[in-house]
Amino acid sequence: MQSNGLSEIKHLLRTHRLPHIWCPGCGNGIITQAFLRAVRRLDLDPDKICIVSGIGCSSRVVEYLDFDTVHTAHGRAIPFATGIKIARPELNVVVLAGDGDIAAIGGNHFIHGARRNIDITVIIFNNSNYGMTGGQYSPLTLFGEKATTAPYGMVEQPFDMCELARGAGATFVARSTTWHAKKLVDLIVQGVEHRGFSSIEVITGCHVNYGKRNCRETAVKMLQWQKEHSVPIERFHSMTEEERKKYFPVGIIHSETRPEYTEEYAKITRIKRDDR
Amino acid sequence: MNSAPKHPEQPDIRLMQGNRACAEAALAAGMRFFAGYPITPSSEIADFLASALPRHGGSFIQMEDEIASMGAVLGASLTGVKAMTATSGPGFSLKQELIGYAALCEIPCVIVNVQRGGPSTGLPTSPAQSDVMQSKWGSHGDYPMVVLAPSSVKETYELTIQAFNFAEMLRTPVILLSDEITGHLYEKITIPPPEAVPVITRRSPRVAPNASYKPYLPNEPDLVPDIPDIGTGFHFHTTGLIHTPDGFPTREPEEVRALITRLHDKINSRKHEICLYEERNTGDAELILCSFGASSRSCFQVVEDARKEGRKIGGIGLKTLWPFPDFIFHKLSSSVKAILVCEMNCGHIIGEVERVCEGRCRVEGLGKCTGTMITPSEIENAIKRIK
């Protein structure tokens, strides 16, 4: 049975590093909690988990998690994670990254990680902007919405991270929001269990830098917006093209089985080893 | 593959390319992870290792770009595996971001840069030695760097092993700064038997995992911490932020100073051990030819020719460029009339020699940036101009 108390995940936190740096009302804590609940539910060995992040508000999360943690350079979490996973395939390697980090400066690494189908779980904290630097637009800022560097409204189109991941070859693709906190735990559990590249996008709130410029100036309004603009993937499928434009589908967007990178490479090593 | 002699009692003598010698030496040093991106004139290293690493139980991956290959190398090294990448000028520029990360986070690794003419795409198939300053100052911030420059196929083999040993011993990135001439040169080489190759491996924590373990606490006297490997139960944190011995970020001025100065001190305090060089006929020399990499071959040829004619010319071939071996020039500048620095660039090492000599002797430069090597006759002409 899943308990809602913090007691069941507190031992997975570096409590001596708290309080965290995030603003009151930030959604990052909800995602962190969901991730730890997933680790707990999967009963993973904490010694065999490695968490890798890049740069940004959400990437600071690794400091608070009591595993082997690597806070890398901006956008570079997936290359580090790739090296770690290849060298130690038995580890559960999880990348926690923000939308600017993973979709802009780290975008190339994201699509190639997906293409390789290397067994890494990527959880994307999508708050639609660069919060740490004060609210600039990211590749996931919605068309027409405002940011410090889009003061007259965003004129670029955003990526759909789930479609990008799927198109690039990711074999597990899911989306949730911080409103769907319990559903998020289920999706992370399935993403970590999946053998291959798993991408889980989580739409989260940054009312301090993003919401206030876009009529969602409180954490509650950010959550309400998530609730009103998301529909389960099953319902999304039955919508018309016109209806779909107003909503994000949440749930498992795509799941398939394809050869996983480290397993394929291990086949070569088994055959060639000591064949000198 | 021909990686072992047919008769074990006979020396393993081969005709080998410089880049191949680098790859063979890396395997002999215990390297078991390579990530790279195709670029001339270093690609032979990746080509060979793609085939050889699975046979040695290691892993090879061609990443999507130069930055990613550097990131994968650091990830693998954090798990305790000896790791390497190889590139050339434009790729070396891209790798700088994570070379700084490796220096700060004390992640051992070897970065091979087979130099070609620049700037920009420059001269992809022609030699240069114009990345000397980038190899020292390429990433932002204050950090030390160890850079070795081989001048022959044999030296490529030796210095590649040395690069891994320095990287592991000092917990720092080490750059093997080769050049297109040395990388593509075929020469005779005697591969030493494995038992004759000294191999150093990083220290592991001497205690069992515990919550109070400080992964970045330096040891005395070498100032190098015993950082655990990922996956061994220590639950430690690695960050590119300035950090305290427990691994977590700090902005406390005294803690910042302690880390930055230690990173420098752990290398600079062992300069005499790290700075390798070859000295020929310097004892009574009035003129010293100073060079490194492929250019030192021409210098030593001139020294040999000059001595046959009774001219008092000596040669210094630098194998370690950074940290700069000041001590060699402190001594020499008082006993010689002039030092002629020969390098395939517009003047990199000459600035260091001038700085150290402080006017005690003349320092002249033969800098060549034509994408062609410096010939002995060009050095002879430069000598005539000095006199």
Side-chain angles (χ1 to χ4, degrees):
Chain A
M1 274 303 288
Q2 188 192 341
S3 146
N4 288 324
L6 272 174
S7 57
E8 69 162 15
I9 55 168
K10 202 174 170 185
H11 67 289
L12 301 174
L13 286 165
R14 289 174 176 143
T15 47
H16 66 287
R17 297 307 304 169
L18 298 172
H20 57 67
I21 64 159
W22 302 319
C23 307
C26 175
N28 288 351
I30 298 172
I31 305 172
T32 306
Q33 190 184 140
F35 171 66
L36 294 178
R37 289 193 193 285
V39 168
R40 177 85 177 149
R41 200 187 298 171
L42 288 161
D43 198 24
L44 300 177
D45 178 356
D47 290 355
K48 300 298 169 202
I49 297 174
C50 181
I51 315 289
V52 189
S53 74
I55 295 295
C57 293
S58 56
S59 285
R60 291 293 292 267
V61 63
V62 292
E63 191 181 324
Y64 314 125
L65 306 180
D66 194 19
F67 309 106
D68 286 331
T69 51
V70 193
H71 181 220
T72 73
H74 199 20
R76 313 305 174 209
I78 290 176
F80 274 72
T82 301
I84 293 165
K85 184 68 187 181
I86 292 172
R88 295 289 302 270
E90 73 278 17
L91 298 181
N92 282 292
V93 181
V94 178
V95 168
L96 304 178
D99 49 309
D101 193 69
I102 207 86
I105 193 164
N108 197 32
H109 310 313
F110 179 76
I111 57 173
H112 287 277
R115 176 182 61 80
R116 282 185 193 104
N117 196 34
I118 187 164
D119 185 26
I120 292 171
T121 304
V122 181
I123 301 175
I124 304 165
F125 294 51
N126 174 13
N127 68 1
S128 314
N129 80 122
Y130 288 81
M132 186 165 265
T133 45
Q136 293 78 16
Y137 72 80
S138 89
L140 302 189
T141 299
L142 298 177
F143 183 78
E145 297 224 307
K146 289 178 180 168
T148 59
T149 46
Y152 311 115
M154 182 71 165
V155 292
E156 300 175 22
Q157 295 294 330
F159 275 137
D160 178 326
M161 281 311 276
C162 292
E163 290 306 314
L164 181 68
R166 179 184 188 159
T171 47
F172 182 89
V173 181
R175 182 189 283 119
S176 185
T177 76
T178 47
W179 168 260
H180 302 83
K182 285 193 175 176
K183 180 73 182 162
L184 177 56
V185 181
D186 300 337
L187 292 175
I188 296 173
V189 165
Q190 291 172 83
V192 173
E193 277 184 321
H194 179 82
R195 281 296 290 171
F197 191 90
S198 306
S199 171
I200 301 160
E201 178 191 3
V202 190
I203 296 170
T204 180
C206 177
H207 62 288
V208 172
N209 280 313
Y210 189 69
K212 76 176 177 194
R213 296 188 171 87
N214 295 291
C215 308
R216 304 196 284 283
E217 66 282 3
T218 65
V220 172
K221 286 189 184 176
M222 299 284 327
L223 285 166
Q224 274 172 342
W225 184 92
Q226 291 168 21
K227 180 189 171 193
E228 289 160 9
H229 289 78
S230 54
V231 291
I233 181 71
E234 300 77 15
R235 221 182 99 201
F236 188 79
H237 283 317
S238 63
M239 286 177 157
T240 63
E241 277 297 313
E242 211 45 45
E243 281 174 319
R244 286 182 186 187
K245 287 176 186 166
K246 298 175 203 152
Y247 298 98
F248 292 102
V250 293
I252 297 173
I253 309 293
H254 176 70
S255 182
E256 65 170 312
T257 305
R258 272 201 301 120
E260 190 276 328
Y261 176 84
T262 58
E263 284 175 1
E264 291 304 303
Y265 198 85
K267 286 180 192 169
I268 294 173
T269 310
R270 271 197 298 276
I271 296 164
K272 294 292 177 185
R273 184 155 199 158
D274 301 323
D275 171 20
R276 301 182 202 172
Chain B
M1 301 295 284
N2 56 341
S3 60
K6 287 193 177 77
H7 305 288
E9 69 279 4
Q10 285 178 359
D12 183 8
I13 298 170
R14 294 193 240 167
L15 178 67
M16 190 179 280
Q17 193 201 44
N19 281 342
R20 171 69 177 263
C22 172
E24 293 269 10
L27 291 171
M31 187 274 295
R32 292 296 179 268
F33 183 90
F34 181 97
Y37 185 82
I39 187 165
T40 303
S42 78
S43 297
E44 294 87 356
I45 297 173
D47 291 349
F48 173 69
L49 290 172
S51 151
L53 270 166
R55 288 185 272 110
H56 287 77
S59 304
F60 169 94
I61 187 166
Q62 180 175 310
M63 294 295 284
E64 56 273 15
D65 60 37
E66 296 277 3
I67 302 171
S69 63
M70 193 64 216
V73 161
L74 298 187
S77 182
L78 279 167
T79 72
V81 177
K82 290 188 186 182
M84 173 172 112
T85 185
T87 186
S88 183
F92 191 54
S93 297
L94 288 165
K95 289 191 193 298
Q96 294 300 331
E97 165 187 290
L98 295 180
I99 291 174
Y101 188 96
L104 176 69
C105 297
E106 304 181 71
I107 306 173
C109 59
V110 173
I111 302 107
V112 180
N113 175 8
V114 186
Q115 294 171 96
R116 67 191 221 186
S120 190
T121 311
L123 298 161
T125 59
S126 303
Q129 295 177 307
S130 44
D131 299 347
V132 173
M133 286 298 167
Q134 193 191 8
S135 69
K136 164 70 175 145
W137 303 108
S139 202
H140 56 279
D142 282 319
Y143 63 96
M145 192 47 68
V146 177
V147 180
L148 309 179
S151 66
S152 66
V153 172
K154 178 174 177 282
E155 225 170 77
T156 300
Y157 193 93
E158 291 164 354
L159 292 185
T160 300
I161 288 168
Q162 195 66 68
F164 276 98
N165 286 347
F166 284 157
E168 295 283 317
M169 171 177 107
L170 300 163
R171 280 198 157 270
T172 197
V174 174
I175 290 160
L176 186 83
L177 196 64
S178 184
D179 53 63
E180 191 274 337
I181 296 171
T182 311
H184 281 167
L185 186 66
Y186 278 83
E187 283 185 299
K188 190 173 100 172
I189 177 174
T190 306
I191 303 288
E195 62 274 14
V197 176
V199 172
I200 296 173
T201 301
R202 66 191 84 169
R203 281 194 309 256
S204 296
R206 291 163 235 197
V207 295
N210 65 81
S212 61
Y213 187 73
K214 290 183 164 48
Y216 300 89
L217 187 70
N219 276 289
E220 297 292 345
D222 69 4
L223 305 176
V224 178
D226 297 346
I227 304 170
D229 297 334
I230 284 176
T232 56
F234 279 85
H235 297 196
F236 73 109
H237 186 54
T238 304
T239 178
L241 289 164
I242 302 298
H243 45 267
T244 53
D246 63 8
F248 295 106
T250 182
R251 287 169 58 203
E252 284 298 319
E254 195 44 40
E255 291 173 344
V256 175
R257 188 200 61 78
L259 175 58
I260 301 297
T261 54
R262 178 175 66 75
L263 291 178
H264 285 84
D265 290 348
K266 74 174 177 179
I267 288 170
N268 291 334
S269 65
R270 297 171 83 170
K271 228 180 215 187
H272 285 268
E273 196 180 337
I274 300 166
C275 290
L276 311 170
Y277 59 99
E278 186 176 351
E279 210 169 350
R280 285 194 206 169
N281 302 96
T282 54
D284 63 344
E286 292 173 354
L287 171 69
I288 295 288
L289 303 177
C290 169
S291 195
F292 58 94
S295 302
S296 64
R297 306 288 290 268
S298 297
C299 286
F300 284 134
Q301 183 62 54
V302 171
V303 171
E304 199 182 313
D305 296 345
R307 287 287 161 173
K308 281 178 194 158
E309 297 161 9
R311 289 186 284 155
K312 291 185 172 174
I313 296 179
I316 293 281
L318 301 176
K319 298 182 188 179
T320 301
L321 302 183
W322 305 108
F324 190 71
D326 305 35
F327 58 89
I328 304 174
F329 298 95
H330 281 145
K331 198 177 71 178
L332 277 179
S333 56
S334 310
S335 66
V336 303
K337 287 181 183 166
I339 299 173
L340 176 63
V341 182
C342 305
E343 47 189 340
M344 284 187 282
N345 56 49
C346 297
H348 286 222
I349 286 294
I350 187 175
E352 292 303 298
V353 176
E354 281 171 342
R355 176 178 66 78
V356 179
C357 291
E358 294 178 313
R360 286 187 293 270
C361 67
R362 267 180 81 178
V363 177
E364 297 292 334
L366 170 54
K368 192 176 177 188
C369 44
T370 55
T372 53
M373 74 178 291
I374 297 173
T375 62
S377 65
E378 285 169 329
I379 298 170
E380 291 286 12
N381 287 336
I383 292 170
K384 282 176 198 147
R385 285 199 297 273
I386 293 174
K387 287 176 179 168

